[in-house]
Amino acid sequence: MKKLFALLLALVMSLSLVACGGGGDTSTDASEGGGDAASGSPTKMTLVLRSGVYADVIKECLPAFEAENNVTCEVQELSEADLYSNIALDAINAQGTYDLCMVDGSWMAEYTANGVLANLSELGYELDDDIIEATTSICYVDGDVYLAPYYGNVTVLMFNKANVEAAGYSADTIASLDDVLKICQQAKADGKKGFIYRGDGQNNLVVDFLPILLSFGGWVIDENNQPTVNTDEFKAAMNYYLELIATGDAEVKDDLIASIDTGAGTMGIGWPGWYTPTANSTGDYIALSGAASEGAEAYNSNVYGIWTIGVPANSQNKELAVKLLSYLMDPEVQKSTVPSGGVPCRYSSLQDEEVLATYPQYEVVCQALESGVYRPVIAEWTQFYTILGTEMDNIINGMKTVDQGLADAQANLEELMAG
């Protein structure tokens, strides 16, 4: 179904280009500012963003840009699923609704293959050296920039400080997954919940497991985009995960955060966009070391969930949209969002002494962003994680053994990737 939709999207977009005379630029030239020259009325721009703190920190920056450029910005805040589909569906229109969009990195392959995004390099925008280099790999296609890494979401290990200390550990001494398991087992023995995980959907189940998988040296695809699920590394990670989650419980995101914050729960995989601890908070987080056990090889194990920003190819205000994107990516503008929960992918924000004095965890975030791993950049990713997550759920609920569940997942994923 998804491949059929992608083909339909490409066909409709190509027909739209023909109808517009070969795809010439239909955007308003607003590089020197917006507004209607005759009436003086402001230009309307529409932004479609991921709901939550990701949209909130952009909205707080808009009034200054609006005043300076004689524009008004309408912001649509959508869930992850609705954001994905709304951007894709709007791309079939010759004259698009949106001028700036938030894009999850895992959508990049499908969006660029179908011409959804404008080439920012051709519009005069390039990424600067202050941006953490590893976060930019998703932003390029054939050397040109199509996206800018705006919000540095990356997996971290959230924990309750008191529970960790009661188990004889501190943030500095959690050196491997074995330590994580020991802490959670002690918490359970003390009458509390150990590891809290999200079991409320295939995407959450898979993505929050990926740091564990990476720490065992495994991954979900190889260099040829072929599934690598029925492997010794994946089995070892899955068996460990079953032991780990047996110390706790499955919760939705807000309950997971509350559980760790109050100390009812002890640990869980989280994201900086969920929770902004201070030096005095009951909760904290660290980057996973990437080692499964003491002395084992340490792998890059922090998974990116970075929210990028881009300009739809059918925006009617491309130049003005790029000006807005450049403004939002400005180092000082980005740093100003930190007190509201902003997480720039910038050294100038994450290593700033004043920022770290109040928000010391941003040092951890910087380390995680420097060694992060993007989810597979494949057009089939949504179907991929649905298949894998379903089989992982079967394993967790005892409906299948690890061997059977992963064998079934491998077979189904091979069929998916074969087309």
Side-chain angles (χ1 to χ4, degrees), residues 53-54 151 153 156 158-161 253 256-258 260-262 270-278 280-285 341 343 359 361-362 365:
V53 67
Y54 320 105
Y151 195 99
N153 234 18
V156 291
M158 296 181 61
F159 61 89
N160 179 273
K161 294 177 184 177
K253 180 193 77 173
L256 183 157
I257 297 168
I260 292 175
D261 195 41
T262 62
W271 305 80
W274 292 1
Y275 183 75
T276 306
T278 65
N280 298 320
S281 299
T282 56
D284 201 356
Y285 45 68
V343 185
Y359 307 103
Q361 80 281 0
Y362 278 80
V365 173

PDB file of all heavy atoms in Angstrom, residues 53-54 151 153 156 158-161 253 256-258 260-262 270-278 280-285 341 343 359 361-362 365:
ATOM      1  N   VAL A  53       6.778  20.159  22.627  1.00  0.00           N
ATOM      2  CA  VAL A  53       7.831  21.147  22.817  1.00  0.00           C
ATOM      3  C   VAL A  53       8.510  21.505  21.507  1.00  0.00           C
ATOM      4  O   VAL A  53       9.011  22.623  21.331  1.00  0.00           O
ATOM      5  CB  VAL A  53       8.865  20.638  23.850  1.00  0.00           C
ATOM      6  CG1 VAL A  53       9.630  19.440  23.319  1.00  0.00           C
ATOM      7  CG2 VAL A  53       9.823  21.748  24.264  1.00  0.00           C
ATOM      8  N   TYR A  54       8.503  20.565  20.549  1.00  0.00           N
ATOM      9  CA  TYR A  54       9.151  20.796  19.253  1.00  0.00           C
ATOM     10  C   TYR A  54       8.509  21.990  18.531  1.00  0.00           C
ATOM     11  O   TYR A  54       9.204  22.808  17.925  1.00  0.00           O
ATOM     12  CB  TYR A  54       9.044  19.544  18.383  1.00  0.00           C
ATOM     13  CG  TYR A  54       9.243  18.263  19.156  1.00  0.00           C
ATOM     14  CD1 TYR A  54       8.173  17.440  19.476  1.00  0.00           C
ATOM     15  CD2 TYR A  54      10.513  17.897  19.601  1.00  0.00           C
ATOM     16  CE1 TYR A  54       8.356  16.273  20.207  1.00  0.00           C
ATOM     17  CE2 TYR A  54      10.699  16.733  20.326  1.00  0.00           C
ATOM     18  CZ  TYR A  54       9.613  15.926  20.636  1.00  0.00           C
ATOM     19  OH  TYR A  54       9.790  14.778  21.371  1.00  0.00           O
ATOM     20  N   TYR A 151      15.921  20.095  16.093  1.00  0.00           N
ATOM     21  CA  TYR A 151      15.714  19.689  17.489  1.00  0.00           C
ATOM     22  C   TYR A 151      16.450  18.377  17.736  1.00  0.00           C
ATOM     23  O   TYR A 151      16.142  17.354  17.138  1.00  0.00           O
ATOM     24  CB  TYR A 151      14.219  19.518  17.799  1.00  0.00           C
ATOM     25  CG  TYR A 151      13.922  19.457  19.273  1.00  0.00           C
ATOM     26  CD1 TYR A 151      13.467  20.578  19.954  1.00  0.00           C
ATOM     27  CD2 TYR A 151      14.140  18.289  19.996  1.00  0.00           C
ATOM     28  CE1 TYR A 151      13.226  20.542  21.317  1.00  0.00           C
ATOM     29  CE2 TYR A 151      13.901  18.246  21.360  1.00  0.00           C
ATOM     30  CZ  TYR A 151      13.429  19.367  22.019  1.00  0.00           C
ATOM     31  OH  TYR A 151      13.205  19.329  23.367  1.00  0.00           O
ATOM     32  N   ASN A 153      16.716  15.583  19.310  1.00  0.00           N
ATOM     33  CA  ASN A 153      16.183  14.442  20.042  1.00  0.00           C
ATOM     34  C   ASN A 153      17.076  13.228  19.803  1.00  0.00           C
ATOM     35  O   ASN A 153      17.378  12.870  18.667  1.00  0.00           O
ATOM     36  CB  ASN A 153      14.752  14.139  19.580  1.00  0.00           C
ATOM     37  CG  ASN A 153      13.778  14.100  20.727  1.00  0.00           C
ATOM     38  OD1 ASN A 153      14.054  14.598  21.816  1.00  0.00           O
ATOM     39  ND2 ASN A 153      12.623  13.496  20.503  1.00  0.00           N
ATOM     40  N   VAL A 156      18.227   8.653  25.386  1.00  0.00           N
ATOM     41  CA  VAL A 156      19.021   8.732  26.611  1.00  0.00           C
ATOM     42  C   VAL A 156      18.448   7.728  27.608  1.00  0.00           C
ATOM     43  O   VAL A 156      17.319   7.250  27.453  1.00  0.00           O
ATOM     44  CB  VAL A 156      18.990  10.147  27.217  1.00  0.00           C
ATOM     45  CG1 VAL A 156      19.744  11.130  26.341  1.00  0.00           C
ATOM     46  CG2 VAL A 156      17.553  10.628  27.456  1.00  0.00           C
ATOM     47  N   MET A 158      16.961   7.482  30.978  1.00  0.00           N
ATOM     48  CA  MET A 158      16.376   8.236  32.085  1.00  0.00           C
ATOM     49  C   MET A 158      16.423   7.391  33.347  1.00  0.00           C
ATOM     50  O   MET A 158      16.265   6.165  33.301  1.00  0.00           O
ATOM     51  CB  MET A 158      14.925   8.609  31.777  1.00  0.00           C
ATOM     52  CG  MET A 158      14.745   9.537  30.604  1.00  0.00           C
ATOM     53  SD  MET A 158      12.990   9.945  30.334  1.00  0.00           S
ATOM     54  CE  MET A 158      12.592  10.761  31.896  1.00  0.00           C
ATOM     55  N   PHE A 159      16.627   8.048  34.509  1.00  0.00           N
ATOM     56  CA  PHE A 159      16.644   7.286  35.752  1.00  0.00           C
ATOM     57  C   PHE A 159      16.279   8.172  36.940  1.00  0.00           C
ATOM     58  O   PHE A 159      16.419   9.395  36.893  1.00  0.00           O
ATOM     59  CB  PHE A 159      18.015   6.640  35.989  1.00  0.00           C
ATOM     60  CG  PHE A 159      19.154   7.615  36.114  1.00  0.00           C
ATOM     61  CD1 PHE A 159      19.509   8.157  37.354  1.00  0.00           C
ATOM     62  CD2 PHE A 159      19.890   7.999  35.004  1.00  0.00           C
ATOM     63  CE1 PHE A 159      20.560   9.055  37.471  1.00  0.00           C
ATOM     64  CE2 PHE A 159      20.939   8.896  35.111  1.00  0.00           C
ATOM     65  CZ  PHE A 159      21.279   9.426  36.357  1.00  0.00           C
ATOM     66  N   ASN A 160      15.821   7.525  37.995  1.00  0.00           N
ATOM     67  CA  ASN A 160      15.541   8.203  39.254  1.00  0.00           C
ATOM     68  C   ASN A 160      16.820   8.168  40.090  1.00  0.00           C
ATOM     69  O   ASN A 160      17.364   7.106  40.373  1.00  0.00           O
ATOM     70  CB  ASN A 160      14.401   7.518  39.994  1.00  0.00           C
ATOM     71  CG  ASN A 160      14.091   8.171  41.316  1.00  0.00           C
ATOM     72  OD1 ASN A 160      14.693   7.844  42.326  1.00  0.00           O
ATOM     73  ND2 ASN A 160      13.144   9.106  41.312  1.00  0.00           N
ATOM     74  N   LYS A 161      17.291   9.336  40.481  1.00  0.00           N
ATOM     75  CA  LYS A 161      18.576   9.422  41.176  1.00  0.00           C
ATOM     76  C   LYS A 161      18.587   8.606  42.472  1.00  0.00           C
ATOM     77  O   LYS A 161      19.552   7.874  42.757  1.00  0.00           O
ATOM     78  CB  LYS A 161      18.888  10.882  41.483  1.00  0.00           C
ATOM     79  CG  LYS A 161      19.132  11.767  40.280  1.00  0.00           C
ATOM     80  CD  LYS A 161      19.352  13.205  40.734  1.00  0.00           C
ATOM     81  CE  LYS A 161      19.499  14.170  39.576  1.00  0.00           C
ATOM     82  NZ  LYS A 161      19.640  15.577  40.028  1.00  0.00           N
ATOM     83  N   LYS A 253       4.084   7.165  27.466  1.00  0.00           N
ATOM     84  CA  LYS A 253       5.162   8.115  27.705  1.00  0.00           C
ATOM     85  C   LYS A 253       4.985   8.926  28.987  1.00  0.00           C
ATOM     86  O   LYS A 253       5.887   8.993  29.829  1.00  0.00           O
ATOM     87  CB  LYS A 253       5.286   9.065  26.508  1.00  0.00           C
ATOM     88  CG  LYS A 253       6.391  10.096  26.653  1.00  0.00           C
ATOM     89  CD  LYS A 253       6.282  11.200  25.625  1.00  0.00           C
ATOM     90  CE  LYS A 253       5.205  12.196  25.982  1.00  0.00           C
ATOM     91  NZ  LYS A 253       5.178  13.376  25.097  1.00  0.00           N
ATOM     92  N   LEU A 256       5.433   6.932  32.044  1.00  0.00           N
ATOM     93  CA  LEU A 256       6.832   6.543  32.197  1.00  0.00           C
ATOM     94  C   LEU A 256       7.617   7.671  32.860  1.00  0.00           C
ATOM     95  O   LEU A 256       8.378   7.447  33.818  1.00  0.00           O
ATOM     96  CB  LEU A 256       7.421   6.197  30.831  1.00  0.00           C
ATOM     97  CG  LEU A 256       8.861   5.684  30.747  1.00  0.00           C
ATOM     98  CD1 LEU A 256       9.047   4.877  29.456  1.00  0.00           C
ATOM     99  CD2 LEU A 256       9.892   6.798  30.785  1.00  0.00           C
ATOM    100  N   ILE A 257       7.422   8.891  32.361  1.00  0.00           N
ATOM    101  CA  ILE A 257       8.127  10.043  32.922  1.00  0.00           C
ATOM    102  C   ILE A 257       7.749  10.253  34.386  1.00  0.00           C
ATOM    103  O   ILE A 257       8.611  10.451  35.250  1.00  0.00           O
ATOM    104  CB  ILE A 257       7.809  11.310  32.108  1.00  0.00           C
ATOM    105  CG1 ILE A 257       8.314  11.165  30.677  1.00  0.00           C
ATOM    106  CG2 ILE A 257       8.429  12.550  32.766  1.00  0.00           C
ATOM    107  CD1 ILE A 257       7.790  12.233  29.735  1.00  0.00           C
ATOM    108  N   ALA A 258       6.443  10.196  34.670  1.00  0.00           N
ATOM    109  CA  ALA A 258       5.968  10.414  36.039  1.00  0.00           C
ATOM    110  C   ALA A 258       6.493   9.334  36.977  1.00  0.00           C
ATOM    111  O   ALA A 258       6.861   9.619  38.125  1.00  0.00           O
ATOM    112  CB  ALA A 258       4.446  10.443  36.061  1.00  0.00           C
ATOM    113  N   ILE A 260       9.296   7.570  36.790  1.00  0.00           N
ATOM    114  CA  ILE A 260      10.712   7.778  37.103  1.00  0.00           C
ATOM    115  C   ILE A 260      10.901   9.038  37.941  1.00  0.00           C
ATOM    116  O   ILE A 260      11.725   9.074  38.867  1.00  0.00           O
ATOM    117  CB  ILE A 260      11.528   7.832  35.800  1.00  0.00           C
ATOM    118  CG1 ILE A 260      11.520   6.452  35.130  1.00  0.00           C
ATOM    119  CG2 ILE A 260      12.954   8.299  36.051  1.00  0.00           C
ATOM    120  CD1 ILE A 260      12.180   6.397  33.780  1.00  0.00           C
ATOM    121  N   ASP A 261      10.120  10.063  37.667  1.00  0.00           N
ATOM    122  CA  ASP A 261      10.237  11.317  38.407  1.00  0.00           C
ATOM    123  C   ASP A 261       9.884  11.119  39.887  1.00  0.00           C
ATOM    124  O   ASP A 261      10.539  11.677  40.772  1.00  0.00           O
ATOM    125  CB  ASP A 261       9.334  12.371  37.778  1.00  0.00           C
ATOM    126  CG  ASP A 261       9.664  13.777  38.244  1.00  0.00           C
ATOM    127  OD1 ASP A 261      10.869  14.092  38.362  1.00  0.00           O
ATOM    128  OD2 ASP A 261       8.735  14.557  38.490  1.00  0.00           O
ATOM    129  N   THR A 262       8.857  10.330  40.149  1.00  0.00           N
ATOM    130  CA  THR A 262       8.422  10.113  41.532  1.00  0.00           C
ATOM    131  C   THR A 262       9.221   9.030  42.246  1.00  0.00           C
ATOM    132  O   THR A 262       9.179   8.938  43.476  1.00  0.00           O
ATOM    133  CB  THR A 262       6.938   9.716  41.579  1.00  0.00           C
ATOM    134  OG1 THR A 262       6.754   8.468  40.874  1.00  0.00           O
ATOM    135  CG2 THR A 262       6.072  10.794  40.945  1.00  0.00           C
ATOM    136  N   GLY A 270      14.458   7.258  27.180  1.00  0.00           N
ATOM    137  CA  GLY A 270      13.700   8.486  26.986  1.00  0.00           C
ATOM    138  C   GLY A 270      14.359   9.378  25.950  1.00  0.00           C
ATOM    139  O   GLY A 270      15.339   8.998  25.297  1.00  0.00           O
ATOM    140  N   TRP A 271      13.799  10.565  25.810  1.00  0.00           N
ATOM    141  CA  TRP A 271      14.261  11.546  24.829  1.00  0.00           C
ATOM    142  C   TRP A 271      14.277  12.920  25.482  1.00  0.00           C
ATOM    143  O   TRP A 271      13.389  13.238  26.296  1.00  0.00           O
ATOM    144  CB  TRP A 271      13.321  11.563  23.620  1.00  0.00           C
ATOM    145  CG  TRP A 271      13.124  10.236  22.969  1.00  0.00           C
ATOM    146  CD1 TRP A 271      12.296   9.221  23.387  1.00  0.00           C
ATOM    147  CD2 TRP A 271      13.765   9.750  21.785  1.00  0.00           C
ATOM    148  NE1 TRP A 271      12.385   8.154  22.534  1.00  0.00           N
ATOM    149  CE2 TRP A 271      13.276   8.445  21.535  1.00  0.00           C
ATOM    150  CE3 TRP A 271      14.694  10.316  20.899  1.00  0.00           C
ATOM    151  CZ2 TRP A 271      13.691   7.687  20.449  1.00  0.00           C
ATOM    152  CZ3 TRP A 271      15.102   9.564  19.805  1.00  0.00           C
ATOM    153  CH2 TRP A 271      14.615   8.268  19.596  1.00  0.00           C
ATOM    154  N   PRO A 272      15.271  13.758  25.158  1.00  0.00           N
ATOM    155  CA  PRO A 272      15.335  15.092  25.763  1.00  0.00           C
ATOM    156  C   PRO A 272      14.065  15.923  25.574  1.00  0.00           C
ATOM    157  O   PRO A 272      13.762  16.783  26.408  1.00  0.00           O
ATOM    158  CB  PRO A 272      16.532  15.744  25.058  1.00  0.00           C
ATOM    159  CG  PRO A 272      17.389  14.594  24.647  1.00  0.00           C
ATOM    160  CD  PRO A 272      16.432  13.491  24.296  1.00  0.00           C
ATOM    161  N   GLY A 273      13.335  15.679  24.477  1.00  0.00           N
ATOM    162  CA  GLY A 273      12.106  16.418  24.243  1.00  0.00           C
ATOM    163  C   GLY A 273      11.000  16.102  25.234  1.00  0.00           C
ATOM    164  O   GLY A 273      10.010  16.822  25.318  1.00  0.00           O
ATOM    165  N   TRP A 274      11.175  15.026  26.003  1.00  0.00           N
ATOM    166  CA  TRP A 274      10.166  14.652  26.995  1.00  0.00           C
ATOM    167  C   TRP A 274      10.328  15.392  28.312  1.00  0.00           C
ATOM    168  O   TRP A 274       9.361  15.683  29.005  1.00  0.00           O
ATOM    169  CB  TRP A 274      10.274  13.168  27.319  1.00  0.00           C
ATOM    170  CG  TRP A 274       9.906  12.223  26.246  1.00  0.00           C
ATOM    171  CD1 TRP A 274       9.493  12.514  24.966  1.00  0.00           C
ATOM    172  CD2 TRP A 274       9.935  10.802  26.340  1.00  0.00           C
ATOM    173  NE1 TRP A 274       9.268  11.358  24.279  1.00  0.00           N
ATOM    174  CE2 TRP A 274       9.518  10.289  25.085  1.00  0.00           C
ATOM    175  CE3 TRP A 274      10.254   9.910  27.348  1.00  0.00           C
ATOM    176  CZ2 TRP A 274       9.432   8.920  24.825  1.00  0.00           C
ATOM    177  CZ3 TRP A 274      10.168   8.546  27.099  1.00  0.00           C
ATOM    178  CH2 TRP A 274       9.759   8.068  25.849  1.00  0.00           C
ATOM    179  N   TYR A 275      11.564  15.592  28.703  1.00  0.00           N
ATOM    180  CA  TYR A 275      11.843  15.917  30.105  1.00  0.00           C
ATOM    181  C   TYR A 275      13.110  16.756  30.165  1.00  0.00           C
ATOM    182  O   TYR A 275      14.121  16.411  29.554  1.00  0.00           O
ATOM    183  CB  TYR A 275      12.035  14.604  30.868  1.00  0.00           C
ATOM    184  CG  TYR A 275      12.262  14.710  32.365  1.00  0.00           C
ATOM    185  CD1 TYR A 275      11.206  15.003  33.214  1.00  0.00           C
ATOM    186  CD2 TYR A 275      13.517  14.483  32.920  1.00  0.00           C
ATOM    187  CE1 TYR A 275      11.402  15.057  34.594  1.00  0.00           C
ATOM    188  CE2 TYR A 275      13.725  14.543  34.295  1.00  0.00           C
ATOM    189  CZ  TYR A 275      12.661  14.830  35.132  1.00  0.00           C
ATOM    190  OH  TYR A 275      12.851  14.897  36.494  1.00  0.00           O
ATOM    191  N   THR A 276      13.065  17.859  30.899  1.00  0.00           N
ATOM    192  CA  THR A 276      14.224  18.733  31.022  1.00  0.00           C
ATOM    193  C   THR A 276      14.610  18.838  32.496  1.00  0.00           C
ATOM    194  O   THR A 276      14.144  19.731  33.207  1.00  0.00           O
ATOM    195  CB  THR A 276      13.923  20.131  30.453  1.00  0.00           C
ATOM    196  OG1 THR A 276      13.433  20.004  29.114  1.00  0.00           O
ATOM    197  CG2 THR A 276      15.172  21.004  30.441  1.00  0.00           C
ATOM    198  N   PRO A 277      15.440  17.929  32.974  1.00  0.00           N
ATOM    199  CA  PRO A 277      15.840  17.991  34.384  1.00  0.00           C
ATOM    200  C   PRO A 277      16.802  19.140  34.637  1.00  0.00           C
ATOM    201  O   PRO A 277      17.497  19.616  33.735  1.00  0.00           O
ATOM    202  CB  PRO A 277      16.544  16.647  34.613  1.00  0.00           C
ATOM    203  CG  PRO A 277      17.060  16.256  33.273  1.00  0.00           C
ATOM    204  CD  PRO A 277      16.046  16.778  32.290  1.00  0.00           C
ATOM    205  N   THR A 278      16.833  19.610  35.876  1.00  0.00           N
ATOM    206  CA  THR A 278      17.825  20.586  36.316  1.00  0.00           C
ATOM    207  C   THR A 278      18.714  19.899  37.343  1.00  0.00           C
ATOM    208  O   THR A 278      18.550  18.709  37.648  1.00  0.00           O
ATOM    209  CB  THR A 278      17.154  21.816  36.941  1.00  0.00           C
ATOM    210  OG1 THR A 278      16.467  21.410  38.141  1.00  0.00           O
ATOM    211  CG2 THR A 278      16.151  22.436  35.989  1.00  0.00           C
ATOM    212  N   ASN A 280      18.642  20.058  40.369  1.00  0.00           N
ATOM    213  CA  ASN A 280      17.896  19.673  41.575  1.00  0.00           C
ATOM    214  C   ASN A 280      16.748  18.699  41.301  1.00  0.00           C
ATOM    215  O   ASN A 280      15.984  18.373  42.209  1.00  0.00           O
ATOM    216  CB  ASN A 280      17.342  20.927  42.252  1.00  0.00           C
ATOM    217  CG  ASN A 280      18.445  21.868  42.711  1.00  0.00           C
ATOM    218  OD1 ASN A 280      19.476  21.425  43.211  1.00  0.00           O
ATOM    219  ND2 ASN A 280      18.237  23.160  42.514  1.00  0.00           N
ATOM    220  N   SER A 281      16.602  18.242  40.077  1.00  0.00           N
ATOM    221  CA  SER A 281      15.497  17.340  39.744  1.00  0.00           C
ATOM    222  C   SER A 281      15.703  15.958  40.356  1.00  0.00           C
ATOM    223  O   SER A 281      16.840  15.516  40.588  1.00  0.00           O
ATOM    224  CB  SER A 281      15.372  17.190  38.225  1.00  0.00           C
ATOM    225  OG  SER A 281      15.095  18.417  37.605  1.00  0.00           O
ATOM    226  N   THR A 282      14.599  15.261  40.607  1.00  0.00           N
ATOM    227  CA  THR A 282      14.691  13.890  41.125  1.00  0.00           C
ATOM    228  C   THR A 282      15.121  12.909  40.033  1.00  0.00           C
ATOM    229  O   THR A 282      15.662  11.850  40.320  1.00  0.00           O
ATOM    230  CB  THR A 282      13.332  13.426  41.689  1.00  0.00           C
ATOM    231  OG1 THR A 282      12.337  13.549  40.653  1.00  0.00           O
ATOM    232  CG2 THR A 282      12.917  14.279  42.867  1.00  0.00           C
ATOM    233  N   GLY A 283      14.861  13.288  38.769  1.00  0.00           N
ATOM    234  CA  GLY A 283      15.251  12.449  37.648  1.00  0.00           C
ATOM    235  C   GLY A 283      16.432  13.038  36.906  1.00  0.00           C
ATOM    236  O   GLY A 283      16.742  14.225  37.024  1.00  0.00           O
ATOM    237  N   ASP A 284      17.094  12.196  36.135  1.00  0.00           N
ATOM    238  CA  ASP A 284      18.231  12.643  35.344  1.00  0.00           C
ATOM    239  C   ASP A 284      18.355  11.689  34.158  1.00  0.00           C
ATOM    240  O   ASP A 284      17.598  10.714  34.050  1.00  0.00           O
ATOM    241  CB  ASP A 284      19.512  12.641  36.181  1.00  0.00           C
ATOM    242  CG  ASP A 284      20.595  13.538  35.607  1.00  0.00           C
ATOM    243  OD1 ASP A 284      20.402  14.110  34.509  1.00  0.00           O
ATOM    244  OD2 ASP A 284      21.654  13.675  36.259  1.00  0.00           O
ATOM    245  N   TYR A 285      19.305  11.947  33.273  1.00  0.00           N
ATOM    246  CA  TYR A 285      19.580  10.970  32.229  1.00  0.00           C
ATOM    247  C   TYR A 285      21.047  11.003  31.811  1.00  0.00           C
ATOM    248  O   TYR A 285      21.760  11.979  32.054  1.00  0.00           O
ATOM    249  CB  TYR A 285      18.661  11.105  31.022  1.00  0.00           C
ATOM    250  CG  TYR A 285      18.395  12.471  30.450  1.00  0.00           C
ATOM    251  CD1 TYR A 285      19.380  13.218  29.809  1.00  0.00           C
ATOM    252  CD2 TYR A 285      17.106  13.008  30.507  1.00  0.00           C
ATOM    253  CE1 TYR A 285      19.101  14.442  29.236  1.00  0.00           C
ATOM    254  CE2 TYR A 285      16.825  14.252  29.938  1.00  0.00           C
ATOM    255  CZ  TYR A 285      17.824  14.958  29.311  1.00  0.00           C
ATOM    256  OH  TYR A 285      17.553  16.179  28.736  1.00  0.00           O
ATOM    257  N   GLY A 341      12.952  24.317  26.787  1.00  0.00           N
ATOM    258  CA  GLY A 341      13.048  22.902  26.416  1.00  0.00           C
ATOM    259  C   GLY A 341      13.655  22.656  25.058  1.00  0.00           C
ATOM    260  O   GLY A 341      13.683  21.514  24.587  1.00  0.00           O
ATOM    261  N   VAL A 343      16.387  21.904  22.261  1.00  0.00           N
ATOM    262  CA  VAL A 343      17.631  21.122  22.252  1.00  0.00           C
ATOM    263  C   VAL A 343      18.306  21.317  20.896  1.00  0.00           C
ATOM    264  O   VAL A 343      18.139  20.520  19.973  1.00  0.00           O
ATOM    265  CB  VAL A 343      17.368  19.624  22.500  1.00  0.00           C
ATOM    266  CG1 VAL A 343      18.696  18.867  22.603  1.00  0.00           C
ATOM    267  CG2 VAL A 343      16.550  19.414  23.760  1.00  0.00           C
ATOM    268  N   TYR A 359      21.413  23.645  33.208  1.00  0.00           N
ATOM    269  CA  TYR A 359      20.954  22.396  32.603  1.00  0.00           C
ATOM    270  C   TYR A 359      22.163  21.502  32.315  1.00  0.00           C
ATOM    271  O   TYR A 359      22.585  21.354  31.165  1.00  0.00           O
ATOM    272  CB  TYR A 359      20.191  22.677  31.306  1.00  0.00           C
ATOM    273  CG  TYR A 359      19.063  23.679  31.462  1.00  0.00           C
ATOM    274  CD1 TYR A 359      19.207  24.996  31.023  1.00  0.00           C
ATOM    275  CD2 TYR A 359      17.868  23.305  32.068  1.00  0.00           C
ATOM    276  CE1 TYR A 359      18.178  25.911  31.174  1.00  0.00           C
ATOM    277  CE2 TYR A 359      16.832  24.224  32.231  1.00  0.00           C
ATOM    278  CZ  TYR A 359      17.001  25.518  31.781  1.00  0.00           C
ATOM    279  OH  TYR A 359      15.980  26.433  31.938  1.00  0.00           O
ATOM    280  N   GLN A 361      22.564  18.437  32.074  1.00  0.00           N
ATOM    281  CA  GLN A 361      22.355  17.252  31.241  1.00  0.00           C
ATOM    282  C   GLN A 361      22.627  17.521  29.762  1.00  0.00           C
ATOM    283  O   GLN A 361      22.762  16.585  28.973  1.00  0.00           O
ATOM    284  CB  GLN A 361      20.929  16.711  31.415  1.00  0.00           C
ATOM    285  CG  GLN A 361      19.846  17.423  30.654  1.00  0.00           C
ATOM    286  CD  GLN A 361      19.413  18.722  31.313  1.00  0.00           C
ATOM    287  OE1 GLN A 361      19.928  19.097  32.364  1.00  0.00           O
ATOM    288  NE2 GLN A 361      18.453  19.406  30.713  1.00  0.00           N
ATOM    289  N   TYR A 362      22.739  18.800  29.371  1.00  0.00           N
ATOM    290  CA  TYR A 362      23.001  19.086  27.962  1.00  0.00           C
ATOM    291  C   TYR A 362      24.405  18.636  27.543  1.00  0.00           C
ATOM    292  O   TYR A 362      24.661  18.442  26.360  1.00  0.00           O
ATOM    293  CB  TYR A 362      22.776  20.568  27.663  1.00  0.00           C
ATOM    294  CG  TYR A 362      21.316  20.892  27.427  1.00  0.00           C
ATOM    295  CD1 TYR A 362      20.443  21.057  28.498  1.00  0.00           C
ATOM    296  CD2 TYR A 362      20.801  20.990  26.148  1.00  0.00           C
ATOM    297  CE1 TYR A 362      19.093  21.324  28.297  1.00  0.00           C
ATOM    298  CE2 TYR A 362      19.463  21.257  25.935  1.00  0.00           C
ATOM    299  CZ  TYR A 362      18.611  21.414  27.018  1.00  0.00           C
ATOM    300  OH  TYR A 362      17.273  21.664  26.818  1.00  0.00           O
ATOM    301  N   VAL A 365      23.622  15.229  26.384  1.00  0.00           N
ATOM    302  CA  VAL A 365      22.945  15.290  25.090  1.00  0.00           C
ATOM    303  C   VAL A 365      23.957  15.544  23.978  1.00  0.00           C
ATOM    304  O   VAL A 365      23.894  14.929  22.912  1.00  0.00           O
ATOM    305  CB  VAL A 365      21.857  16.383  25.090  1.00  0.00           C
ATOM    306  CG1 VAL A 365      21.268  16.559  23.698  1.00  0.00           C
ATOM    307  CG2 VAL A 365      20.756  16.040  26.084  1.00  0.00           C
TER     308      VAL A 365
END
